[in-house]
Amino acid sequence: MHPSTELRAGYLEEDPLPAAPPAPQRRGRCIVVTSGKGGVGKTTTTANVGVALAAGGARVVLVDADVGLRNLDIVLGLEARVRHHVLDVLEGQAELDDALVSDKRVSGLKLLAASQTREKDDVDTPAFRGLIDQLRERFDYVLIDCPAGIEKGFQNAIAGADEAIIVCTPEVSAVRDADRVVGLLGERVKVTLIVNRLRPALVRRGKMLSVEDVNAILRLPLLGVIADEPGVIVSTNKGEPIALDVASPTGQAYRKIAGRIVGTETSAPEIPREATFFGKLFGGQR
Amino acid sequence: MSARRIVVTSGKGGVGKTTTTANLGAALALRGKRVVLVDADIGLRNLDLVLGLEKRIVFDLVEVVEGRCQLRQALIKDKRFGELLSILPAAQTRDKTAVTENQFATVIDELAELCDYVIIDCPAGIEHGFRNAVAGAREAIVVTTPEVSAIRDADRVIGKLNERGLPIRLIVNRIRPDMVRSGDMLSVEDVCEILSAELLGIVPDDEDVIDTTNRGEPIALKADSRLAAIYEKIARRLEGEIVPFTVLGAPTFLSRLLGRKAG
Protein backbone atom coordinates (compact mmCIF):
# COMPACT_ATOMS: atom_id res chain seq x y z
CA MET A 1 0.00 0.00 0.00
CA HIS A 2 1.24 3.48 -0.76
CA PRO A 3 2.15 5.32 2.44
CA SER A 4 -0.26 8.18 1.72
CA THR A 5 -3.14 5.73 1.24
CA GLU A 6 -2.24 4.08 4.50
CA LEU A 7 -2.20 7.40 6.29
CA ARG A 8 -5.54 8.42 4.82
CA ALA A 9 -7.15 5.12 5.73
CA GLY A 10 -5.88 5.52 9.29
CA TYR A 11 -7.16 9.08 9.45
CA LEU A 12 -10.62 8.12 8.24
CA GLU A 13 -10.86 5.33 10.74
CA GLU A 14 -9.92 7.49 13.70
CA ASP A 15 -11.75 10.61 12.56
CA PRO A 16 -13.22 11.99 15.81
CA LEU A 17 -16.10 13.73 13.99
CA PRO A 18 -17.90 11.09 11.94
CA ALA A 19 -20.42 12.62 9.57
CA ALA A 20 -22.60 9.52 9.32
CA PRO A 21 -24.62 8.13 12.24
CA PRO A 22 -23.19 4.99 13.86
CA ALA A 23 -23.59 1.92 11.69
CA PRO A 24 -26.46 -0.33 12.80
CA GLN A 25 -24.19 -3.36 12.95
CA ARG A 26 -21.56 -3.11 15.66
CA ARG A 27 -18.05 -4.07 14.65
CA GLY A 28 -16.71 -7.22 16.22
CA ARG A 29 -14.03 -7.12 18.87
CA CYS A 30 -10.49 -8.02 17.92
CA ILE A 31 -8.41 -9.65 20.65
CA VAL A 32 -4.79 -10.73 20.19
CA VAL A 33 -3.55 -13.61 22.34
CA THR A 34 0.11 -12.98 23.07
CA SER A 35 2.88 -13.68 25.60
CA GLY A 36 6.40 -12.88 24.42
CA LYS A 37 7.68 -16.26 25.55
CA GLY A 38 6.77 -19.25 23.46
CA GLY A 39 5.17 -22.44 24.65
CA VAL A 40 3.14 -20.87 27.44
CA GLY A 41 -0.16 -21.77 25.78
CA LYS A 42 -1.16 -19.03 23.35
CA THR A 43 -2.51 -21.41 20.73
CA THR A 44 -4.27 -23.60 23.27
CA THR A 45 -5.80 -20.49 24.83
CA THR A 46 -6.91 -19.11 21.47
CA ALA A 47 -8.57 -22.40 20.53
CA ASN A 48 -10.31 -22.89 23.86
CA VAL A 49 -11.49 -19.33 24.34
CA GLY A 50 -12.72 -19.39 20.73
CA VAL A 51 -14.62 -22.63 21.28
CA ALA A 52 -16.13 -21.30 24.51
CA LEU A 53 -17.19 -17.99 22.93
CA ALA A 54 -18.78 -19.78 19.97
CA ALA A 55 -20.49 -22.29 22.27
CA GLY A 56 -22.08 -19.27 23.93
CA GLY A 57 -23.60 -18.27 20.61
CA ALA A 58 -21.07 -15.73 19.32
CA ARG A 59 -19.75 -15.67 15.76
CA VAL A 60 -16.02 -16.22 16.16
CA VAL A 61 -13.07 -16.36 13.78
CA LEU A 62 -9.64 -17.53 14.93
CA VAL A 63 -6.72 -16.18 12.93
CA ASP A 64 -3.34 -17.92 13.05
CA ALA A 65 -0.67 -15.22 12.74
CA ASP A 66 2.23 -17.67 13.08
CA VAL A 67 3.18 -17.76 9.41
CA GLY A 68 5.73 -20.53 8.85
CA LEU A 69 5.07 -22.29 12.16
CA ARG A 70 1.32 -22.63 12.27
CA ASN A 71 -0.31 -24.87 14.83
CA LEU A 72 -3.80 -23.56 15.53
CA ASP A 73 -5.21 -25.87 12.83
CA ILE A 74 -3.72 -28.92 14.62
CA VAL A 75 -4.99 -27.88 18.04
CA LEU A 76 -8.48 -27.51 16.56
CA GLY A 77 -8.18 -30.77 14.62
CA LEU A 78 -8.86 -28.95 11.36
CA GLU A 79 -5.48 -29.43 9.63
CA ALA A 80 -6.92 -31.72 6.94
CA ARG A 81 -9.53 -29.13 5.97
CA VAL A 82 -7.20 -26.18 5.39
CA ARG A 83 -7.09 -25.37 1.69
CA HIS A 84 -6.13 -21.71 1.66
CA HIS A 85 -4.40 -19.46 4.15
CA VAL A 86 -3.96 -15.84 5.16
CA LEU A 87 -1.36 -15.05 2.50
CA ASP A 88 -3.53 -16.56 -0.26
CA VAL A 89 -6.25 -14.10 0.75
CA LEU A 90 -3.91 -11.13 1.08
CA GLU A 91 -2.31 -11.86 -2.28
CA GLY A 92 -5.63 -12.42 -4.07
CA GLN A 93 -5.05 -16.14 -4.65
CA ALA A 94 -8.22 -17.06 -2.77
CA GLU A 95 -11.48 -15.51 -1.63
CA LEU A 96 -11.82 -14.95 2.09
CA ASP A 97 -14.84 -17.28 2.21
CA ASP A 98 -12.86 -20.09 0.64
CA ALA A 99 -10.10 -19.70 3.20
CA LEU A 100 -12.34 -19.78 6.26
CA VAL A 101 -12.55 -23.30 7.67
CA SER A 102 -15.71 -24.14 9.62
CA ASP A 103 -15.23 -26.02 12.86
CA LYS A 104 -16.79 -29.49 12.82
CA ARG A 105 -18.22 -29.35 16.32
CA VAL A 106 -19.18 -25.80 17.17
CA SER A 107 -21.31 -23.74 14.81
CA GLY A 108 -20.25 -20.15 14.45
CA LEU A 109 -16.55 -20.96 14.83
CA LYS A 110 -14.19 -20.46 11.88
CA LEU A 111 -10.45 -20.72 11.40
CA LEU A 112 -8.24 -18.69 9.10
CA ALA A 113 -4.99 -20.64 8.90
CA ALA A 114 -1.47 -19.29 8.49
CA SER A 115 0.74 -20.29 5.60
CA GLN A 116 3.20 -22.98 6.59
CA THR A 117 5.73 -22.60 3.79
CA ARG A 118 6.06 -18.80 3.85
CA GLU A 119 7.76 -16.25 6.08
CA LYS A 120 6.40 -13.60 8.40
CA ASP A 121 8.22 -10.97 6.37
CA ASP A 122 5.93 -11.85 3.44
CA VAL A 123 2.95 -10.41 5.32
CA ASP A 124 2.24 -6.74 4.62
CA THR A 125 1.20 -5.31 7.98
CA PRO A 126 -1.32 -2.70 6.72
CA ALA A 127 -2.90 -5.31 4.43
CA PHE A 128 -3.17 -7.75 7.34
CA ARG A 129 -4.79 -5.01 9.38
CA GLY A 130 -7.24 -4.43 6.54
CA LEU A 131 -8.14 -8.12 6.53
CA ILE A 132 -8.80 -8.02 10.27
CA ASP A 133 -11.08 -5.00 9.76
CA GLN A 134 -12.96 -6.96 7.12
CA LEU A 135 -13.39 -9.86 9.53
CA ARG A 136 -14.66 -7.53 12.24
CA GLU A 137 -17.57 -6.61 10.00
CA ARG A 138 -18.64 -10.24 9.85
CA PHE A 139 -17.81 -11.72 13.25
CA ASP A 140 -18.49 -10.80 16.86
CA TYR A 141 -14.98 -11.84 17.89
CA VAL A 142 -11.74 -11.99 15.96
CA LEU A 143 -9.11 -13.80 18.03
CA ILE A 144 -5.55 -13.60 16.77
CA ASP A 145 -3.05 -16.28 17.76
CA CYS A 146 0.24 -14.37 17.97
CA PRO A 147 3.60 -16.05 17.32
CA ALA A 148 6.25 -16.16 20.06
CA GLY A 149 8.72 -13.32 20.22
CA ILE A 150 8.46 -9.63 19.44
CA GLU A 151 9.58 -9.58 15.82
CA LYS A 152 7.64 -8.95 12.61
CA GLY A 153 5.11 -11.71 13.33
CA PHE A 154 4.23 -10.02 16.62
CA GLN A 155 3.91 -6.62 14.95
CA ASN A 156 1.55 -8.11 12.35
CA ALA A 157 -0.54 -9.88 14.96
CA ILE A 158 -1.12 -6.83 17.15
CA ALA A 159 -1.70 -4.38 14.29
CA GLY A 160 -5.47 -4.83 14.09
CA ALA A 161 -6.21 -5.55 17.75
CA ASP A 162 -7.52 -3.19 20.37
CA GLU A 163 -7.58 -5.79 23.12
CA ALA A 164 -4.97 -8.30 24.20
CA ILE A 165 -4.98 -11.38 26.39
CA ILE A 166 -1.54 -11.98 27.89
CA VAL A 167 -0.94 -15.66 28.57
CA CYS A 168 1.67 -16.22 31.25
CA THR A 169 2.85 -19.30 33.11
CA PRO A 170 4.05 -19.04 36.73
CA GLU A 171 7.71 -18.90 35.72
CA VAL A 172 10.13 -16.04 36.16
CA SER A 173 11.15 -16.08 32.50
CA ALA A 174 7.54 -16.03 31.27
CA VAL A 175 6.69 -13.15 33.59
CA ARG A 176 9.68 -11.14 32.39
CA ASP A 177 8.74 -11.67 28.74
CA ALA A 178 5.07 -10.88 29.42
CA ASP A 179 6.07 -7.65 31.13
CA ARG A 180 8.10 -6.65 28.09
CA VAL A 181 5.14 -7.36 25.80
CA VAL A 182 2.75 -5.32 27.95
CA GLY A 183 5.18 -2.42 27.54
CA LEU A 184 5.26 -2.86 23.77
CA LEU A 185 1.45 -3.00 23.50
CA GLY A 186 1.25 0.48 24.97
CA GLU A 187 -1.78 2.41 26.11
CA ARG A 188 -3.87 1.86 22.98
CA VAL A 189 -4.59 -1.79 23.76
CA LYS A 190 -6.76 -3.02 26.63
CA VAL A 191 -4.83 -5.83 28.27
CA THR A 192 -6.04 -8.72 30.46
CA LEU A 193 -4.21 -11.73 31.90
CA ILE A 194 -4.65 -15.49 31.88
CA VAL A 195 -2.29 -17.37 34.20
CA ASN A 196 -1.77 -20.74 32.56
CA ARG A 197 -0.48 -24.10 33.76
CA LEU A 198 -0.68 -23.44 37.47
CA ARG A 199 0.20 -26.42 39.68
CA PRO A 200 -1.50 -25.68 43.01
CA ALA A 201 0.48 -28.38 44.84
CA LEU A 202 3.78 -26.82 43.78
CA VAL A 203 2.58 -23.36 44.78
CA ARG A 204 1.66 -24.67 48.22
CA ARG A 205 5.14 -26.20 48.62
CA GLY A 206 6.70 -22.91 47.62
CA LYS A 207 8.14 -24.39 44.43
CA MET A 208 6.07 -22.35 41.98
CA LEU A 209 5.07 -18.71 41.75
CA SER A 210 1.48 -18.07 42.81
CA VAL A 211 -1.06 -16.10 40.79
CA GLU A 212 -0.46 -13.21 43.22
CA ASP A 213 3.30 -13.41 42.63
CA VAL A 214 2.78 -13.23 38.88
CA ASN A 215 0.35 -10.38 39.07
CA ALA A 216 2.40 -8.45 41.63
CA ILE A 217 4.74 -7.82 38.71
CA LEU A 218 2.31 -7.58 35.79
CA ARG A 219 -0.60 -5.86 37.57
CA LEU A 220 -3.24 -6.72 34.97
CA PRO A 221 -6.97 -7.45 35.27
CA LEU A 222 -7.17 -11.23 35.75
CA LEU A 223 -9.36 -12.99 33.21
CA GLY A 224 -8.78 -16.52 34.44
CA VAL A 225 -6.44 -19.16 35.83
CA ILE A 226 -5.95 -22.52 34.13
CA ALA A 227 -4.46 -25.54 35.91
CA ASP A 228 -1.67 -27.64 34.47
CA GLU A 229 -3.25 -30.98 33.73
CA PRO A 230 -2.34 -33.82 31.39
CA GLY A 231 -5.84 -33.56 29.89
CA VAL A 232 -4.81 -30.41 28.03
CA ILE A 233 -1.83 -32.12 26.36
CA VAL A 234 -4.04 -35.05 25.38
CA SER A 235 -6.80 -32.84 24.00
CA THR A 236 -4.27 -30.73 22.09
CA ASN A 237 -2.64 -33.77 20.51
CA LYS A 238 -6.08 -35.09 19.55
CA GLY A 239 -7.24 -31.78 18.14
CA GLU A 240 -10.17 -31.57 20.52
CA PRO A 241 -10.04 -28.40 22.61
CA ILE A 242 -10.82 -29.18 26.24
CA ALA A 243 -13.38 -26.34 26.32
CA LEU A 244 -15.66 -28.75 24.42
CA ASP A 245 -15.73 -30.91 27.53
CA VAL A 246 -18.16 -29.07 29.77
CA ALA A 247 -17.71 -31.66 32.50
CA SER A 248 -13.98 -30.98 32.99
CA PRO A 249 -12.89 -28.27 35.44
CA THR A 250 -10.57 -26.81 32.80
CA GLY A 251 -13.37 -26.76 30.24
CA GLN A 252 -15.50 -24.92 32.78
CA ALA A 253 -12.71 -22.44 33.47
CA TYR A 254 -12.54 -21.58 29.76
CA ARG A 255 -16.33 -21.13 29.61
CA LYS A 256 -16.06 -18.66 32.48
CA ILE A 257 -13.24 -16.81 30.77
CA ALA A 258 -15.45 -16.49 27.68
CA GLY A 259 -18.25 -15.23 29.93
CA ARG A 260 -15.95 -12.59 31.39
CA ILE A 261 -14.95 -11.44 27.90
CA VAL A 262 -18.60 -11.18 26.84
CA GLY A 263 -19.53 -9.58 30.14
CA THR A 264 -22.06 -12.17 31.31
CA GLU A 265 -19.79 -13.74 33.95
CA THR A 266 -19.26 -11.51 36.95
CA SER A 267 -17.56 -13.94 39.35
CA ALA A 268 -13.88 -13.40 40.12
CA PRO A 269 -11.52 -15.97 38.60
CA GLU A 270 -11.06 -19.03 40.76
CA ILE A 271 -7.65 -20.41 41.61
CA PRO A 272 -7.57 -24.11 40.68
CA ARG A 273 -7.52 -26.36 43.72
CA GLU A 274 -5.28 -29.29 44.43
CA ALA A 275 -6.59 -32.66 43.38
CA THR A 276 -7.92 -34.81 46.17
CA PHE A 277 -6.27 -38.06 47.15
CA PHE A 278 -8.89 -40.01 45.20
CA GLY A 279 -8.69 -37.72 42.23
CA LYS A 280 -4.96 -38.39 42.07
CA LEU A 281 -5.49 -42.12 42.38
CA PHE A 282 -7.80 -42.14 39.41
CA GLY A 283 -5.50 -39.99 37.31
CA GLY A 284 -7.57 -36.84 37.57
CA GLN A 285 -6.50 -33.26 37.79
CA ARG A 286 -3.23 -32.53 39.53
CA MET B 1 42.44 -23.72 18.62
CA SER B 2 38.82 -23.21 17.84
CA ALA B 3 35.72 -24.16 19.76
CA ARG B 4 32.72 -26.14 18.64
CA ARG B 5 29.84 -23.81 17.86
CA ILE B 6 26.45 -25.29 18.58
CA VAL B 7 23.06 -23.62 18.25
CA VAL B 8 20.20 -24.88 20.43
CA THR B 9 16.96 -24.33 18.52
CA SER B 10 13.41 -25.67 18.21
CA GLY B 11 11.02 -23.53 16.18
CA LYS B 12 8.35 -23.65 18.84
CA GLY B 13 8.91 -21.67 21.99
CA GLY B 14 8.79 -22.96 25.52
CA VAL B 15 10.06 -26.44 24.77
CA GLY B 16 13.21 -25.91 26.83
CA LYS B 17 15.89 -24.31 24.66
CA THR B 18 17.19 -22.03 27.40
CA THR B 19 17.02 -24.72 30.08
CA THR B 20 18.85 -27.12 27.77
CA THR B 21 21.51 -24.52 26.93
CA ALA B 22 22.14 -23.74 30.60
CA ASN B 23 22.25 -27.35 31.75
CA LEU B 24 24.31 -28.64 28.88
CA GLY B 25 26.75 -25.78 29.44
CA ALA B 26 26.88 -26.62 33.14
CA ALA B 27 27.42 -30.33 32.44
CA LEU B 28 30.28 -29.59 30.02
CA ALA B 29 31.89 -27.16 32.47
CA LEU B 30 31.64 -29.76 35.25
CA ARG B 31 33.62 -32.02 32.92
CA GLY B 32 36.35 -29.41 32.70
CA LYS B 33 35.46 -27.82 29.39
CA ARG B 34 35.60 -24.08 28.85
CA VAL B 35 32.14 -23.01 27.76
CA VAL B 36 30.57 -19.73 26.64
CA LEU B 37 26.77 -19.57 26.41
CA VAL B 38 25.37 -16.89 24.11
CA ASP B 39 21.82 -15.57 24.51
CA ALA B 40 20.57 -14.73 21.00
CA ASP B 41 17.10 -13.75 22.19
CA ILE B 42 17.57 -9.99 21.94
CA GLY B 43 14.62 -8.22 23.55
CA LEU B 44 13.39 -11.29 25.43
CA ARG B 45 16.51 -12.58 27.13
CA ASN B 46 16.20 -15.27 29.78
CA LEU B 47 19.44 -17.25 29.89
CA ASP B 48 20.76 -14.85 32.55
CA LEU B 49 17.73 -15.58 34.77
CA VAL B 50 17.98 -19.34 34.39
CA LEU B 51 21.59 -19.15 35.59
CA GLY B 52 20.84 -16.54 38.25
CA LEU B 53 23.26 -14.04 36.71
CA GLU B 54 20.79 -11.27 35.87
CA LYS B 55 22.09 -8.83 38.46
CA ARG B 56 25.64 -9.05 37.16
CA ILE B 57 24.95 -7.88 33.61
CA VAL B 58 26.89 -4.77 32.66
CA PHE B 59 27.30 -5.02 28.91
CA ASP B 60 25.51 -7.14 26.31
CA LEU B 61 25.85 -8.66 22.87
CA VAL B 62 24.52 -5.59 21.07
CA GLU B 63 27.02 -3.33 22.84
CA VAL B 64 29.83 -5.66 21.78
CA VAL B 65 28.64 -5.50 18.17
CA GLU B 66 28.35 -1.74 18.31
CA GLY B 67 31.88 -1.46 19.70
CA ARG B 68 30.80 0.08 23.00
CA CYS B 69 32.79 -2.48 24.98
CA GLN B 70 35.29 -5.28 24.59
CA LEU B 71 33.96 -8.79 24.13
CA ARG B 72 35.68 -9.90 27.36
CA GLN B 73 33.99 -7.11 29.33
CA ALA B 74 30.55 -8.37 28.35
CA LEU B 75 31.21 -11.96 29.40
CA ILE B 76 29.86 -12.90 32.83
CA LYS B 77 31.66 -15.71 34.61
CA ASP B 78 29.48 -18.10 36.55
CA LYS B 79 31.54 -18.43 39.74
CA ARG B 80 30.05 -21.81 40.57
CA PHE B 81 32.18 -23.23 37.75
CA GLY B 82 35.46 -21.47 38.49
CA GLU B 83 36.79 -20.01 35.26
CA LEU B 84 34.99 -22.47 33.02
CA LEU B 85 31.48 -21.16 32.29
CA SER B 86 30.56 -17.69 31.04
CA ILE B 87 27.56 -16.15 29.37
CA LEU B 88 27.25 -13.40 26.82
CA PRO B 89 23.85 -11.84 27.58
CA ALA B 90 21.46 -10.43 25.00
CA ALA B 91 20.25 -6.84 25.15
CA GLN B 92 16.81 -6.54 26.70
CA THR B 93 15.65 -3.19 25.39
CA ARG B 94 16.68 -3.61 21.76
CA ASP B 95 15.28 -5.78 19.02
CA LYS B 96 16.66 -8.56 16.92
CA THR B 97 17.39 -6.39 13.91
CA ALA B 98 20.02 -4.53 15.98
CA VAL B 99 22.49 -7.25 14.92
CA THR B 100 23.08 -8.64 11.44
CA GLU B 101 23.88 -12.27 10.66
CA ASN B 102 27.46 -11.32 9.78
CA GLN B 103 27.98 -9.36 12.96
CA PHE B 104 26.61 -12.23 14.99
CA ALA B 105 28.85 -14.74 13.24
CA THR B 106 31.88 -12.52 13.85
CA VAL B 107 31.20 -12.45 17.60
CA ILE B 108 30.85 -16.23 17.65
CA ASP B 109 34.15 -16.58 15.76
CA GLU B 110 35.88 -14.41 18.35
CA LEU B 111 34.37 -16.39 21.22
CA ALA B 112 35.48 -19.62 19.59
CA GLU B 113 39.10 -18.55 20.17
CA LEU B 114 38.50 -18.30 23.92
CA CYS B 115 36.93 -21.64 24.81
CA ASP B 116 36.07 -25.22 23.88
CA TYR B 117 32.32 -24.85 23.35
CA VAL B 118 30.20 -21.91 22.22
CA ILE B 119 26.53 -22.76 22.76
CA ILE B 120 23.98 -20.39 21.27
CA ASP B 121 20.51 -20.12 22.81
CA CYS B 122 18.25 -19.41 19.84
CA PRO B 123 14.99 -17.45 20.15
CA ALA B 124 11.67 -19.10 19.26
CA GLY B 125 10.47 -18.82 15.70
CA ILE B 126 12.26 -18.70 12.37
CA GLU B 127 12.61 -14.96 11.90
CA HIS B 128 15.62 -12.66 12.05
CA GLY B 129 16.63 -13.83 15.54
CA PHE B 130 16.76 -17.43 14.34
CA ARG B 131 18.85 -16.52 11.30
CA ASN B 132 21.32 -14.67 13.54
CA ALA B 133 21.62 -17.53 15.99
CA VAL B 134 22.23 -20.05 13.23
CA ALA B 135 24.68 -17.85 11.32
CA GLY B 136 27.58 -18.48 13.66
CA ALA B 137 26.92 -22.17 14.33
CA ARG B 138 28.56 -25.24 12.83
CA GLU B 139 26.28 -27.76 14.54
CA ALA B 140 22.70 -27.74 15.79
CA ILE B 141 20.82 -29.31 18.65
CA VAL B 142 17.08 -29.36 18.05
CA VAL B 143 15.00 -29.52 21.22
CA THR B 144 11.46 -30.81 20.94
CA THR B 145 8.75 -32.05 23.25
CA PRO B 146 6.55 -35.04 22.39
CA GLU B 147 3.68 -32.87 21.19
CA VAL B 148 2.32 -32.70 17.68
CA SER B 149 2.75 -28.94 17.43
CA ALA B 150 6.35 -28.96 18.72
CA ILE B 151 7.27 -31.74 16.30
CA ARG B 152 5.74 -29.95 13.35
CA ASP B 153 7.76 -26.83 14.20
CA ALA B 154 10.93 -28.88 14.76
CA ASP B 155 10.44 -30.45 11.35
CA ARG B 156 10.26 -27.02 9.76
CA VAL B 157 13.43 -25.92 11.56
CA ILE B 158 15.29 -29.09 10.60
CA GLY B 159 14.45 -28.28 6.97
CA LYS B 160 16.00 -24.84 7.40
CA LEU B 161 19.11 -26.24 9.12
CA ASN B 162 19.52 -28.81 6.35
CA GLU B 163 19.53 -26.00 3.79
CA ARG B 164 22.56 -24.62 5.63
CA GLY B 165 24.19 -28.03 5.88
CA LEU B 166 24.41 -28.05 9.67
CA PRO B 167 24.65 -31.46 11.33
CA ILE B 168 21.64 -31.94 13.61
CA ARG B 169 21.08 -33.88 16.80
CA LEU B 170 17.87 -34.15 18.72
CA ILE B 171 16.95 -33.79 22.38
CA VAL B 172 13.45 -34.98 23.26
CA ASN B 173 12.46 -32.97 26.29
CA ARG B 174 9.76 -33.31 28.94
CA ILE B 175 8.82 -36.91 28.30
CA ARG B 176 6.20 -38.24 30.73
CA PRO B 177 6.70 -41.99 30.74
CA ASP B 178 3.31 -42.64 32.34
CA MET B 179 1.58 -40.75 29.54
CA VAL B 180 3.61 -42.54 26.88
CA ARG B 181 2.59 -45.85 28.39
CA SER B 182 -1.08 -44.93 28.53
CA GLY B 183 -0.90 -43.90 24.87
CA ASP B 184 -1.51 -40.23 25.65
CA MET B 185 1.93 -39.07 24.59
CA LEU B 186 4.16 -39.81 21.63
CA SER B 187 7.17 -41.96 22.45
CA VAL B 188 10.80 -41.01 21.78
CA GLU B 189 10.84 -43.59 18.99
CA ASP B 190 7.83 -41.94 17.36
CA VAL B 191 9.46 -38.53 17.56
CA CYS B 192 12.79 -39.71 16.12
CA GLU B 193 11.03 -41.52 13.31
CA ILE B 194 8.99 -38.48 12.32
CA LEU B 195 11.99 -36.15 12.43
CA SER B 196 14.58 -38.70 11.25
CA ALA B 197 17.35 -37.06 13.21
CA GLU B 198 20.08 -38.56 15.38
CA LEU B 199 19.12 -38.71 19.04
CA LEU B 200 21.36 -36.91 21.53
CA GLY B 201 19.26 -37.12 24.66
CA ILE B 202 15.98 -37.94 26.35
CA VAL B 203 14.98 -35.72 29.25
CA PRO B 204 11.98 -36.57 31.41
CA ASP B 205 9.50 -33.97 32.61
CA ASP B 206 10.59 -33.09 36.12
CA GLU B 207 8.82 -30.57 38.28
CA ASP B 208 12.09 -29.67 40.01
CA VAL B 209 13.18 -27.96 36.80
CA ILE B 210 10.51 -25.27 37.20
CA ASP B 211 11.72 -24.47 40.69
CA THR B 212 15.46 -24.58 39.95
CA THR B 213 14.91 -22.45 36.86
CA ASN B 214 12.95 -19.85 38.84
CA ARG B 215 15.76 -19.75 41.40
CA GLY B 216 18.51 -19.51 38.82
CA GLU B 217 20.18 -22.77 39.75
CA PRO B 218 20.59 -25.16 36.83
CA ILE B 219 19.53 -28.64 37.85
CA ALA B 220 22.75 -30.04 36.36
CA LEU B 221 24.45 -28.64 39.48
CA LYS B 222 22.37 -30.81 41.80
CA ALA B 223 24.71 -33.77 41.88
CA ASP B 224 22.17 -36.18 43.32
CA SER B 225 19.38 -35.36 40.87
CA ARG B 226 18.23 -37.64 38.10
CA LEU B 227 18.40 -34.86 35.54
CA ALA B 228 22.01 -33.97 36.44
CA ALA B 229 22.96 -37.53 35.49
CA ILE B 230 21.02 -37.22 32.25
CA TYR B 231 22.66 -33.93 31.25
CA GLU B 232 26.05 -35.40 32.08
CA LYS B 233 25.35 -38.24 29.66
CA ILE B 234 24.27 -35.78 26.98
CA ALA B 235 27.53 -33.89 27.48
CA ARG B 236 29.51 -37.12 27.11
CA ARG B 237 27.63 -38.03 23.93
CA LEU B 238 28.37 -34.59 22.59
CA GLU B 239 32.06 -35.26 23.20
CA GLY B 240 31.83 -38.42 21.14
CA GLU B 241 31.43 -41.07 23.81
CA ILE B 242 28.93 -43.83 23.20
CA VAL B 243 26.61 -43.71 26.18
CA PRO B 244 23.47 -45.86 26.36
CA PHE B 245 20.17 -44.02 26.75
CA THR B 246 18.48 -43.97 30.13
CA VAL B 247 15.42 -46.17 30.15
CA LEU B 248 12.68 -44.10 31.68
CA GLY B 249 10.53 -46.13 33.98
CA ALA B 250 6.92 -45.21 34.38
CA PRO B 251 6.06 -44.10 37.89
CA THR B 252 5.02 -46.96 40.09
CA PHE B 253 1.66 -47.02 41.78
CA LEU B 254 3.31 -46.19 45.10
CA SER B 255 5.36 -43.28 43.76
CA ARG B 256 2.25 -41.88 42.12
CA LEU B 257 0.43 -42.10 45.42
CA LEU B 258 3.22 -40.15 47.03
CA GLY B 259 3.25 -37.65 44.19
CA ARG B 260 6.74 -38.52 43.04
CA LYS B 261 8.10 -39.96 39.87
CA ALA B 262 10.45 -42.88 39.88
CA GLY B 263 13.66 -42.73 37.86
Side-chain angles (χ1 to χ4, degrees), chain B residues 17 107 114 142 154 183 202 222 242:
Chain B
K17 286 180 296 298
V107 172
L114 307 175
V142 172
I202 308 166
K222 285 176 83 177
I242 295 165

Side-chain angles (χ1 to χ4, degrees), chain A residues 66-83:
Chain A
D66 204 349
V67 175
L69 292 174
R70 73 175 184 209
N71 278 316
L72 186 56
D73 55 324
I74 288 189
V75 172
L76 288 162
L78 296 175
E79 68 275 15
R81 297 193 179 186
V82 174
R83 288 169 57 234

Side-chain angles (χ1 to χ4, degrees), chain A residues 24 26 35 53 81 93 110 114 155 158 170 193 235 261 274:
Chain A
R26 211 164 57 91
S35 65
L53 283 168
R81 297 193 179 186
Q93 305 291 312
K110 307 258 188 197
Q155 296 299 343
I158 67 167
L193 173 69
S235 75
I261 292 171
E274 276 180 63

Side-chain angles (χ1 to χ4, degrees), chain B residues 159-180:
Chain B
K160 292 202 168 277
L161 297 169
N162 281 336
E163 284 169 20
R164 292 166 184 257
L166 291 185
I168 299 161
R169 292 207 272 180
L170 192 66
I171 291 181
V172 183
N173 202 18
R174 292 218 295 261
I175 278 270
R176 296 191 189 185
D178 51 336
M179 288 180 72
V180 173

Side-chain angles (χ1 to χ4, degrees), chain A residues 38-39 68 70-71 73-74 116 118-120 151-153 171-173 176-177 180 202 205 237 286, chain B residues 13-14 43 45-46 48-49 92 94 96 127-129 148-149 152-153 156 160 176 207 214 253 257:
Chain A
R70 73 175 184 209
N71 278 316
D73 55 324
I74 288 189
Q116 179 68 352
R118 301 284 298 274
E119 306 283 336
K120 284 158 185 105
E151 297 186 71
K152 178 81 192 290
E171 292 164 283
V172 179
S173 52
R176 190 201 247 187
D177 288 2
R180 177 103 168 95
L202 287 187
R205 279 154 44 202
N237 278 341
R286 282 181 183 217
Chain B
R45 71 180 178 204
N46 278 316
D48 55 322
L49 274 184
Q92 178 69 349
R94 302 289 297 272
K96 275 144 187 121
E127 298 185 70
H128 191 87
V148 179
S149 52
R152 193 201 245 188
D153 290 0
R156 182 99 167 91
K160 292 202 168 277
R176 296 191 189 185
E207 60 186 34
N214 279 342
F253 180 75
L257 262 184

Side-chain angles (χ1 to χ4, degrees), chain B residues 2-160:
Chain B
S2 195
R4 287 173 67 178
R5 304 152 204 206
I6 306 172
V7 62
V8 177
T9 183
S10 66
K12 186 161 157 54
V15 299
K17 286 180 296 298
T18 304
T19 305
T20 302
T21 303
N23 282 296
L24 190 53
L28 285 164
L30 289 172
R31 295 177 56 74
K33 301 294 169 188
R34 292 166 305 164
V35 183
V36 178
L37 307 179
V38 180
D39 191 342
D41 204 348
I42 300 173
L44 291 174
R45 71 180 178 204
N46 278 316
L47 184 62
D48 55 322
L49 274 184
V50 170
L51 287 164
L53 301 173
E54 69 275 11
K55 295 205 175 83
R56 293 183 45 211
I57 295 178
V58 181
F59 296 111
D60 59 52
L61 171 68
V62 174
E63 287 168 313
V64 171
V65 167
E66 291 176 347
R68 293 161 190 266
C69 67
Q70 297 294 313
L71 180 56
R72 281 173 191 275
Q73 290 177 291
L75 293 178
I76 304 166
K77 279 204 180 75
D78 187 331
K79 291 171 186 161
R80 294 167 294 195
F81 301 89
E83 297 286 303
L84 292 170
L85 184 72
S86 311
I87 72 164
L88 178 58
Q92 178 69 349
T93 55
R94 302 289 297 272
D95 68 55
K96 275 144 187 121
T97 53
V99 179
T100 66
E101 288 179 50
N102 276 338
Q103 288 170 327
F104 198 94
T106 305
V107 172
I108 301 301
D109 284 342
E110 275 184 60
L111 287 173
E113 298 304 315
L114 307 175
C115 60
D116 303 311
Y117 284 88
V118 181
I119 305 181
I120 304 155
D121 184 20
C122 182
I126 47 177
E127 298 185 70
H128 191 87
F130 167 80
R131 292 192 292 271
N132 278 350
V134 169
R138 306 270 169 88
E139 304 169 53
I141 294 175
V142 172
V143 181
T144 190
T145 55
E147 289 162 288
V148 179
S149 52
I151 293 166
R152 193 201 245 188
D153 290 0
D155 194 43
R156 182 99 167 91
V157 160
I158 288 173
K160 292 202 168 277

